[in-house]
Amino acid sequence: MKMVTALCLLSLVTGAALAAAAPRARDLGVPFDGTPGPLNAITDVAGVSVGHVTLLDSSDPKHQVRTGVTAVLPRGRDSGQLPVFGGWFALNGNGEMTGTAWLEESGMLEGPVLLTNTHSVGVVRDAAIAWRVKSGQADASGYWWSLPVVAETWDGYLNDINGFHVRAEHVFAALDGAHGGPVEEGNVGGGTGMICHEFKCGIGTSSRRVTVGDRSYAVGVLVQANYGRRETLRIAGVPIGEHLREHRVYTDAALAGDMGSIIIVVATDAPLLPHQLKRVAKRAALGLARNGSYAGNGSGDLFVAFSTANAEAVRDQPLNAAQFVGNDAIDPILLGAVEATEEAIINAMVAARDLSGQNGRYAIAIPHEALRALLKKYNRLVNR
Amino acid sequence: MKMVTALCLLSLVTGAALAAAAPRARDLGVPFDGTPGPLNAITDVAGVSVGHVTLLDSSDPKHQVRTGVTAVLPRGRDSGQLPVFGGWFALNGNGEMTGTAWLEESGMLEGPVLLTNTHSVGVVRDAAIAWRVKSGQADASGYWWSLPVVAETWDGYLNDINGFHVRAEHVFAALDGAHGGPVEEGNVGGGTGMICHEFKCGIGTSSRRVTVGDRSYAVGVLVQANYGRRETLRIAGVPIGEHLREHRVYTDAALAGDMGSIIIVVATDAPLLPHQLKRVAKRAALGLARNGSYAGNGSGDLFVAFSTANAEAVRDQPLNAAQFVGNDAIDPILLGAVEATEEAIINAMVAARDLSGQNGRYAIAIPHEALRALLKKYNRLVNR
Amino acid sequence: MKMVTALCLLSLVTGAALAAAAPRARDLGVPFDGTPGPLNAITDVAGVSVGHVTLLDSSDPKHQVRTGVTAVLPRGRDSGQLPVFGGWFALNGNGEMTGTAWLEESGMLEGPVLLTNTHSVGVVRDAAIAWRVKSGQADASGYWWSLPVVAETWDGYLNDINGFHVRAEHVFAALDGAHGGPVEEGNVGGGTGMICHEFKCGIGTSSRRVTVGDRSYAVGVLVQANYGRRETLRIAGVPIGEHLREHRVYTDAALAGDMGSIIIVVATDAPLLPHQLKRVAKRAALGLARNGSYAGNGSGDLFVAFSTANAEAVRDQPLNAAQFVGNDAIDPILLGAVEATEEAIINAMVAARDLSGQNGRYAIAIPHEALRALLKKYNRLVNR
Amino acid sequence: MKMVTALCLLSLVTGAALAAAAPRARDLGVPFDGTPGPLNAITDVAGVSVGHVTLLDSSDPKHQVRTGVTAVLPRGRDSGQLPVFGGWFALNGNGEMTGTAWLEESGMLEGPVLLTNTHSVGVVRDAAIAWRVKSGQADASGYWWSLPVVAETWDGYLNDINGFHVRAEHVFAALDGAHGGPVEEGNVGGGTGMICHEFKCGIGTSSRRVTVGDRSYAVGVLVQANYGRRETLRIAGVPIGEHLREHRVYTDAALAGDMGSIIIVVATDAPLLPHQLKRVAKRAALGLARNGSYAGNGSGDLFVAFSTANAEAVRDQPLNAAQFVGNDAIDPILLGAVEATEEAIINAMVAARDLSGQNGRYAIAIPHEALRALLKKYNRLVNR
């Protein structure tokens, strides 16, 4: 256990260093629609904080650890006590997102959204409850229960997923380490071992600034991206996957389908009601589609959206008051969710680094120069 | 046409007369839980108005007309201009309720809820649009469309349903004639030809007065009831259907299943958000179940709920404000919806009168004295 | 009435003539993924037939008629007697598709799918029942009802939609005139007055040939396309809407959102169960997204999918047998639905012709040469 | 750990002993509709096996353990390798049932259904994966993941739920100990600490024998019942809760709502397709309603249904064949699910025994003689 903790700390430091230096998709000249916020990250939505714990251990070649936990706290430190309005959508349900029955029923997301690997959802889920108990968030009346939201993608290509390496303390560390500001992307947290369109992938984020009536709002997206076949990859409409055909992951002809999954978290400070947040969550599918996903059978494409507005409304008194954007005015938010999702996924691919894993497996990151060359070939490269 | 119009007027008069004299389920000593409003009707929710047009024509023995239209206007005369928050639920979707895609998406019910027979949903739906156009409710910008909510049950046992006897003017009359106050029950409006647990049935209504925090709200229900097998009928928990085995409708052994359908409309003045109104709509299923329904394959059991609160919020501005009852405080409303549904159905059965129909068919109403005798036998008769 | 009928016939003839001569998107050099069937139309799915009735009447300048009805019969002449397994999905429910409660509940699509304008859904729906009664499809037992599937998009920009010009005889003509073989596209049938990304649009179709295990199946799509803002239009990934900024429809700044809607019908001869057809219907959203839709609030984006296989299974006996493609093998069908949807929409745009309408309004079709020039600029033009 | 294991064994023995002697609801003279199978248990569906592990530990008065795990294996030992068609329904989603996204998407239930307390869902879920890995059920290709179905109700009134006392070995024991034949009811397994209508409750089961066409099928139900207010309790239609007003659990006026939850598992050997099993799952709500539930806000009422037929169909080949009951013939199965649910809940109440718990709390079981007396008073006692 000591070793893993050490690796976590190491990764956190490395992550911070990377954040300063690493180019993002825009830096490479990929064109995107719309106007991002200052961080171009989910944390452009005030109060949202993100924490990663990255687990890397290569000591046993047959059981290499490449996994982790990512925590998104809608209201930062207040997330345990103060829910947010939320909604969710399953584009293709070959995945797990716990807590959705209550999210759907109540219209509220209580506590953080946690992301990890497929076979560690359980430990993360119970640890999220334990963390709330530890933090004194349990109701003193004794009539208290918690139904955490934990989602996953499958990192079993590189990671020893059946070794169950995620433990409660990792969850606590991700939650306690969550912060605003720039968000680490690529091989970090729950995204550590993830692969996307057969390129190394992981966590990505983006945001849009939108205007509704006379007000300005942020729409932020964070993805744990692990989906897709190489051949259908499009970036900014350019058929990248038709050209970059080398170093594929799914070389076995029997594995003909779309493996992997993507979890998309959409946050906004626009005041939206629960049924409207379900609408927003659905738009993540449209951003995903722009990059070439067809949501294959093997892909668990589950999306959750929440609004940090209405902090008073969610206290669940007999009578509450909430503000909300009218349906007729909601288009900029819907479009912003599409655009930020499209970019967050490409950010995850661009930020990722080559990674080796169990059984001698290896996943390369998308080569930046080849990507730029293709954008140029199709007259889509933005010169910066 | 003249004749039918005449019959309509006649029926309206008759209806008013009946309302004064006819006993309701409580008057017969059937026990129910909870506290009804002053009218024990959906119109206990302030502003809700109800109109019926009843079409009865026996001039052609083979094509007898026993059908009609019932209109529920959530905000009375303002219903066209001012939507209500709403939600819906399909317990068993062997039926039609138009307009639900938009109701689900927007969380708003725009305009009236109209009830008719299965094969007249279309004419009623387009007429509802025409009525809004006629009333000047169409948006002057020219970018205006309407997606009315029209639901149905099947009266083809007594009624010449394939004769398509409902016409636009009947819809206008039901809408224009809608009023608050006592609601006619039984063989009226859309309920004219309906049959329930193989007894003549039709329209029924009931309400509950509930307290949430320091406020009091009304929960009202109106049903167009046309479902059920005789043998499963329970009233106030008493197995009535096991005893009253005579005069069944479905005597053909091949017709083994639950025929017919039930549409349930739940109204409240409690401020509820759309996702909460879906919760309320679901509770109609529980009230229905108390009377013995198992929601057979042939039954279209579709429920809609709306709240008349938040008249300002639904104007769909860029920024709106709404009040709502917290989830933790919502139980009295949920229970009220169950209780009022249970009673509204029995009210429909008790108010209905024997009716003959096409091809010599005949449906008897539940015999009041036999019902009282059975309640007494099971120690459930309330003496009044 | 006579005149309108004459116009219908004229349009059918004209349609046939157009079909021979008019270029489709591929003919212009637009690149698409996958392999189309021989007709590149929904009618590549054996048995599917399509009928259009086009209503054009310019005699009253203030009330010009530009509308119609399109019928898709899953099993041609047998569609009334023999259902198909089906499923549906609402990407954005600002629209109407009747019959979905029963489609969802039963897993079966009974009868045709009919497409028309928003305010004529009712007349088309009841006429679909009358057509089945006329055709002797009503059950002799007398216990028969029908819950037709009728969907719409809004043509009120060009068409006098509040004039309610569609009548039952037009529905009968569309149904009776349905045929296999090439499908007319553009300004025909329900698509007559439709507009897409602010270009004249209407009906479009496409298909894909896919292999599952050792079998080959067809996936066909037909769209009635009426959605979208100009600026988000992408064709084959090329940002067409950023360049073709002239001749917009929504010039009023107040009309900031996505107006209009799209109905997408997906057919396949692959044996799929109802829950799998819902999966297929969802993929239409991903094909739509490739062309730049963000499913704005004003857009009714409703999709239905059906399978013509299992003609014996759907007879609803106490015990039935069905074949179905395993979930693990379903990816080619999902991808085919995405690809055929993407192409069907562009086919609708390419086939449409400029059209004037009420109040002096005018919608131009996408200029073919300008489209080709832009594809070339972005190195995406296929030379043929 | 030794102690807990010892308690488990003890409880299994005790359970077996109880099964022989304890009266069930029918034995007390409670009338129910329909015809049960020979065991009147979910295990009347051939192949279904059930295992319980009961955790009882009173050594620390402030942290008393009253919880456990119940496993339902649809195909007994083959459940890991061979899925079943399945469907689910949330009547009120204040609860957790993991695995439902994939169940909904795929139409298949893979592996067992596990029931436990709210705060132990995670450990049980990951342990279910570990058990499959241990059992050699992981796919040798390495492309294997598992999304187990684990549901819960809240036993925190009696049980030290925040002590997280359930561990992986308890899950293995419940799975490995599963068996056909009589099923232990009451204070066992996941039901150990559960409370229902403020009487001690827990696990209950029942079944119905139904005829469809010329075939006979079993419909079995198992519940983990923990829902309900005392005052709404009805048994066989008799208002028991109005009379038995003593020894309530929720004495605090602030706790005005329906606390707790109910998980209902419906099994059948009738061949049903996934969308039909969702229909069956919905009927559990109607059986529940007969006993007085109104599905209060605090209640997590989640239901899952599966069919053990079609063992070949679920192997997920490119082409598969399945049998299924036609919708028109499905009513006996729907009714059977309602009836068996109604009885299974009462069986859980009748089988439960008084239990003390943490902080000096105590829950009494429903007094059998008082129940009989009330049934007699209302002329509903069946003399046996």
Side-chain angles (χ1 to χ4, degrees), chain C residues 154-173:
Chain C
W154 184 82
D155 55 17
Y157 185 76
L158 298 175
N159 178 49
D160 176 35
I161 192 169
N162 291 335
F164 301 98
H165 297 282
V166 177
R167 288 195 300 271
E169 60 263 32
H170 304 136
V171 181
F172 302 157

Side-chain angles (χ1 to χ4, degrees), chain A residues 125-149:
Chain A
R125 186 244 180 220
D126 288 358
I129 301 175
W131 179 76
R132 294 184 70 178
V133 172
K134 276 201 324 165
S135 317
Q137 297 176 6
D139 180 355
S141 77
Y143 292 90
W144 181 89
W145 59 88
S146 178
L147 300 164
V149 174

Side-chain angles (χ1 to χ4, degrees), chain A residues 90-92 234 237 239 257-258 279 282-283 285-286 290 294-297 327-328 331 342 377-380, chain C residues 33 90-92 234 237 239 257-258 279 282-283 285-286 290 294-297 327-328 331 342 377-380:
Chain A
L91 173 62
N92 191 61
R234 295 181 183 192
D258 182 7
R279 304 181 80 184
K282 271 190 186 174
R283 269 54 187 188
L286 306 183
R290 289 183 172 190
Y294 59 95
N297 173 66
N327 286 322
D328 278 351
D331 269 24
E342 180 185 11
K377 171 181 163 78
Y378 287 95
N379 200 13
R380 289 288 272 158
Chain C
D33 302 331
L91 173 62
N92 191 61
R234 295 182 182 190
D258 182 7
R279 305 181 79 183
K282 272 191 185 174
R283 269 52 187 192
L286 306 183
R290 289 184 173 190
Y294 60 93
N297 174 66
N327 285 323
D328 277 350
D331 268 24
E342 180 185 12
K377 172 181 163 79
Y378 288 95
N379 201 13
R380 290 288 273 159

Side-chain angles (χ1 to χ4, degrees), chain D residues 157-239:
Chain D
Y157 184 76
L158 298 175
N159 178 48
D160 176 36
I161 193 170
N162 291 336
F164 302 98
H165 296 284
V166 177
R167 288 196 299 272
E169 61 263 32
H170 304 135
V171 182
F172 302 157
L175 288 163
D176 292 332
H179 56 82
V183 173
E184 297 146 319
E185 296 179 306
N187 307 5
V188 293
T192 299
M194 301 302 164
I195 294 170
C196 195
H197 288 288
E198 305 182 50
F199 285 120
K200 185 67 193 68
C201 206
I203 301 292
T205 190
S206 178
S207 73
R208 287 298 179 273
R209 202 76 216 160
V210 301
T211 302
V212 176
D214 55 2
R215 300 201 178 206
S216 172
Y217 300 112
V219 179
V221 169
L222 182 141
V223 301
Q224 179 170 307
N226 190 47
Y227 75 98
R229 304 290 296 180
R230 177 70 61 78
E231 60 267 32
T232 71
L233 174 62
R234 294 182 183 191
I235 296 181
V238 173

Side-chain angles (χ1 to χ4, degrees), chain B residues 31 33 89-94 229 231-232 234 236-239 242 256-259 279 282-283 285-290 292-299 301 327-332 334-335 338-339 342 377-380, chain D residues 31 33 89-94 229 231-232 234 236-239 242 256-259 279 282-283 285-290 292-299 301 327-332 334-335 338-339 342 377-380:
Chain B
D33 301 332
F89 175 64
L91 173 62
N92 191 60
N94 201 332
R229 304 290 297 179
E231 61 267 31
T232 70
R234 295 181 182 192
V238 174
E242 293 178 15
D258 182 7
M259 310 292 289
R279 303 181 80 182
K282 272 191 185 174
R283 268 52 185 192
L286 306 183
L288 173 63
R290 289 183 172 190
S293 167
Y294 60 94
N297 173 66
S299 200
D301 301 344
N327 285 322
D328 277 351
I330 207 174
D331 269 25
L334 302 181
L335 179 56
V338 174
E339 292 172 349
E342 180 185 11
K377 172 181 161 80
Y378 287 96
N379 200 14
R380 289 288 272 159
Chain D
D33 301 332
F89 174 64
L91 173 61
N92 191 62
N94 201 333
R229 304 290 296 180
E231 60 267 32
T232 71
R234 294 182 183 191
V238 173
E242 294 178 13
D258 182 7
M259 310 293 289
R279 305 181 79 183
K282 272 190 185 174
R283 269 52 186 191
L286 306 182
L288 173 63
R290 290 184 171 189
S293 167
Y294 59 93
N297 173 66
S299 199
D301 302 344
N327 285 321
D328 278 349
I330 207 174
D331 269 25
L334 301 181
L335 181 55
V338 174
E339 293 172 348
E342 181 185 11
K377 173 180 163 76
Y378 287 95
N379 200 13
R380 289 290 271 161

